[in-house]
Amino acid sequence: MPGPITEPENCGNVIGEVDPSLCKPKVRAAQVQRVFATLLDGNENFGPYNADPDTVGVVNNPAAWSARMDQTGTATGAIITLHCIGEKPLPEDEEQELPLGQTRVLDRSHTLNFTVLETSDKINMLMRQWAAFGATVGIWYETSQPTLLGSGTAVHIPIQASIKPGQVIPRERSGAHVWEVTATWKDMKPEDMIDSPVPATPEPGAGSGS
């Protein structure tokens, strides 16, 4: 399993090694398909990525994820999973103009938009709670590749995101009543990412994490 992206150490105008290929280009499939949420209570982080994915507790160990996947959200360090269809558009920069026509990026705002199509009583209750009172939780998200994305610091640390859901009910009978959810956060760095080690989401009643 490839490791996470190496943390950049230099600022300014720099170049580094690249490996474009005409015959075997590396591309990653799009569409966000799962969002993983956890409380920011001091139990949110995994251990850092390890070249040996069997190392206990590290972010690229599937067993570490299985131990925390708890759809009741009650266990210590519990991670709940939302199935969705989503996207991550280009971040928005807050810039300051400097002398000689230069600009400096002061802050960078990220937005993850996703649609939750399931409207069970439990999902509705969580979404209504988040919508009514607001929520700041730790999240990771996964694309259809599948690629797992975490915070800009390192993938084993969740993104600290503000969550805002809203109901959408189409006019057409053929449409579906859904929750449109927006997760926002600020980070100068792009999200760190690895090939997703996360197992299939357990069905409710199939057991919870430790």
Side-chain angles (χ1 to χ4, degrees):
M1 178 183 294
I5 297 173
T6 302
E7 182 73 13
E9 297 178 354
N10 300 313
C11 64
N13 300 317
V14 297
I15 59 173
E17 183 179 2
V18 296
D19 57 350
S21 173
L22 293 176
C23 59
K24 293 183 178 180
K26 175 65 175 180
V27 295
R28 292 181 180 270
Q31 190 177 94
V32 175
Q33 64 179 13
R34 290 194 292 180
V35 172
F36 310 104
T38 189
L39 292 177
L40 297 170
D41 60 358
N43 299 297
E44 63 268 19
N45 296 349
F46 284 92
Y49 179 94
N50 193 293
D52 178 4
D54 293 328
T55 302
V56 175
V58 297
V59 69
N60 53 316
N61 183 347
W65 282 87
S66 293
R68 291 183 58 183
M69 294 173 77
D70 172 15
Q71 295 296 68
T72 70
T74 58
T76 300
I79 294 174
I80 62 171
T81 305
L82 296 170
H83 297 164
C84 62
I85 296 174
E87 64 176 354
K88 171 67 167 28
L90 188 69
E92 295 184 2
D93 288 349
E94 178 184 337
E95 296 184 341
Q96 180 183 47
E97 185 176 357
L98 301 175
L100 303 178
Q102 296 176 303
T103 59
R104 176 185 179 185
V105 177
L106 299 178
D107 215 342
R108 180 164 292 139
S109 299
H110 301 258
T111 303
L112 173 66
N113 301 308
F114 59 96
T115 303
V116 177
L117 291 95
E118 295 178 273
T119 51
S120 68
D121 289 346
K122 291 180 179 179
I123 291 174
N124 286 343
M125 184 62 69
L126 176 63
M127 292 294 161
R128 291 182 68 243
Q129 181 176 352
W130 282 355
F133 302 105
T136 299
V137 298
I139 66 168
W140 294 265
Y141 65 95
E142 180 190 71
T143 68
S144 64
Q145 178 65 24
T147 299
L148 178 71
L149 294 98
S151 76
T153 300
V155 70
H156 70 281
I157 300 172
I159 298 161
Q160 295 191 24
S162 297
I163 308 294
K164 181 182 178 181
Q167 295 185 80
V168 175
I169 304 175
R171 178 188 299 270
E172 298 78 17
R173 287 177 179 265
S174 58
H177 179 166
V178 302
W179 289 97
E180 296 288 355
V181 186
T182 301
T184 57
W185 65 95
K186 291 189 175 183
D187 196 335
M188 291 290 288
K189 299 176 184 177
E191 300 89 306
D192 195 11
M193 58 185 169
I194 58 174
D195 292 340
S196 180
V198 185
T201 307
E203 288 293 320
S208 61
S210 58

